[in-house]
C-alpha cells in the first residue's frame, strides 16, 4: 500500500510545479526519456539473465507515470496574452518577444494537436509588430531585434526579408556587436530568407521548413 501511495503523493508537487513553470514540463520530459532508457537497458539485461531485481522495472515505470501526469497537468496552465496594447513601442515589442520565447519553452508548442493554438498566437504577434513596422515606429536597436525575431517566426518569404533587414541593422549597432543572440539572428534570418527563395543558405543555421513565397 505504501509503495502505491508514494507515486500518488509525488504527483501533487510535480503537478503544481509543472502548472506554475513552463520549463518544468520540459524537464519532466527529459526525466521520462531517461527512465525509458533505463527500462530498455533492464529489458536487454533480462533477456540475457533470468534474474533481475523488480525495482529495475518498477521504479522507472513509476517515475514515468508521475512525470507524465505532471506534463498533462502542465498543459492546463493558461498562457500569458500573446501581446499587450499598453505601454510604449519598446514595451510592446519586448513583451511580444518574451511571450514568443516562452511559448516555445512549453510542451504544447511541440504537440501537433495544439499547434494551431501556437500558430494563432504567432499570428497575433505578427499583426501587432507588422503594424508598428508599417508605421515606421521601430527605430531602437533592441526594438529592431525584438521585431526581427517575431518576423523570423513567420512563414512568408517577404516577412523573412523584413526580419533580415531589422536583424542586420540591430547587429551592426556597436552596442550589440558582442551580443551573441543578436549576431546569430542576423545570420539566421538571412539563411531563412535565402532558403525560402530556394537559394542555398550561407551560415548553415536552418533546418527544413515550409514557407509561402510572396
Amino acid at each position: 500500500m505504501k509503495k502505491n501511495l508514494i507515486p500518488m503523493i509525488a504527483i501533487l508537487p510535480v503537478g503544481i510545479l509543472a502548472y506554475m513553470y513552463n520549463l518544468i514540463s520540459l524537464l519532466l520530459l527529459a526525466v521520462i526519456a531517461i527512465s525509458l532508457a533505463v527500462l530498455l537497458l533492464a529489458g536487454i539485461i533480462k533477456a540475457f539473465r533470468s534474474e533481475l531485481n523488480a525495482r529495475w522495472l518498477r521504479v522507472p515505470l513509476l517515475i514515468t507515470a508521475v512525470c507524465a501526469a505532471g506534463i498533462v497537468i502542465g498543459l492546463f496552465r493558461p498562457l500569458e496574452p500573446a501581446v499587450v496594447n499598453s505601454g510604449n513601442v519598446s514595451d510592446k515589442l519586448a513583451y511580444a518577444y518574451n511571450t514568443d520565447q516562452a511559448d516555445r519553452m512549453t510542451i504544447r508548442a511541440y504537440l501537433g494537436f495544439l499547434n494551431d493554438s501556437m500558430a494563432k498566437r504567432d499570428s497575433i504577434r505578427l499583426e501587432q509588430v507588422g503594424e508598428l513596422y508599417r508605421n515606421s515606429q521601430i527605430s531602437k536597436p533592441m526594438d529592431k531585434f525584438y521585431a526581427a525575431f517575431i518576423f523570423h517566426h513567420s512563414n512568408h518569404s517577404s516577412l523573412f526579408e523584413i526580419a533580415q533587414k531589422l536583424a542586420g541593422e540591430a547587429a551592426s549597432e556597436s552596442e550589440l556587436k558582442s551580443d551573441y543572440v543578436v549576431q546569430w539572428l542576423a545570420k539566421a534570418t538571412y539563411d531563412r530568407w535565402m532558403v525560402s527563395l530556394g537559394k542555398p543558405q550561407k551560415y548553415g543555421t536552418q533546418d527544413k521548413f515550409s514557407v509561402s513565397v510572396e
Side-chain angles (χ1 to χ4, degrees):
M1 185 64 179
K2 291 182 178 180
K3 292 181 179 179
N4 294 329
L5 282 176
I6 293 175
M8 293 179 63
I9 294 173
I11 288 175
L12 181 60
V14 169
I16 292 174
L17 288 172
Y19 186 85
M20 293 178 62
Y21 305 103
N22 288 330
L23 286 177
I24 295 298
S25 291
L26 294 178
L27 179 60
L28 293 177
L29 193 62
V31 173
I32 288 176
I34 294 172
S35 297
L36 292 177
V38 172
L39 279 174
L40 178 61
L41 178 61
I44 294 174
I45 294 174
K46 189 171 178 60
F48 292 95
R49 294 175 56 184
S50 58
E51 296 182 3
L52 182 66
N53 193 315
R55 289 184 179 179
W56 284 96
L57 297 175
R58 186 175 65 250
V59 173
L61 283 173
L62 291 176
I63 292 175
T64 298
V66 170
C67 291
I71 289 173
V72 172
I73 293 172
L75 290 176
F76 290 95
R77 180 180 188 271
L79 296 172
E80 297 291 334
V83 299
V84 290
N85 295 312
S86 59
N88 56 35
V89 172
S90 295
D91 293 335
K92 293 176 181 178
L93 290 171
Y95 183 90
Y97 168 78
N98 287 330
T99 58
D100 174 275
Q101 294 300 287
D103 283 359
R104 285 163 172 78
M105 293 181 184
T106 62
I107 292 293
R108 68 184 72 187
Y110 305 97
L111 297 177
F113 64 93
L114 292 175
N115 278 348
D116 286 344
S117 172
M118 289 294 146
K120 288 179 182 177
R121 289 174 62 80
D122 281 344
S123 178
I124 292 171
R125 283 185 284 263
L126 277 168
E127 183 178 352
Q128 184 187 61
V129 176
E131 182 178 358
L132 293 173
Y133 177 77
R134 289 189 295 273
N135 292 333
S136 302
Q137 293 181 272
I138 304 174
S139 58
K140 296 180 180 179
M142 281 306 297
D143 288 353
K144 291 180 179 180
F145 166 75
Y146 292 142
F149 228 114
I150 303 303
F151 283 123
H152 174 67
H153 284 154
S154 67
N155 60 357
H156 296 285
S157 180
S158 60
L159 298 182
F160 295 149
E161 183 178 4
I162 296 174
Q164 203 287 315
K165 175 180 180 295
L166 292 172
E169 291 175 357
S172 66
E173 295 288 341
S174 58
E175 64 196 83
L176 297 177
K177 282 189 178 296
S178 61
D179 190 307
Y180 172 81
V181 179
V182 173
Q183 298 302 318
W184 170 85
L185 185 63
K187 297 175 182 178
T189 51
Y190 180 83
D191 279 351
R192 181 160 290 196
W193 178 32
M194 289 297 101
V195 172
S196 72
L197 296 174
K199 298 179 180 180
Q201 56 181 310
K202 181 178 180 180
Y203 303 103
T205 63
Q206 300 300 296
D207 295 321
K208 293 182 179 179
F209 62 96
S210 59
V211 298
S212 60
V213 178
E214 294 184 344

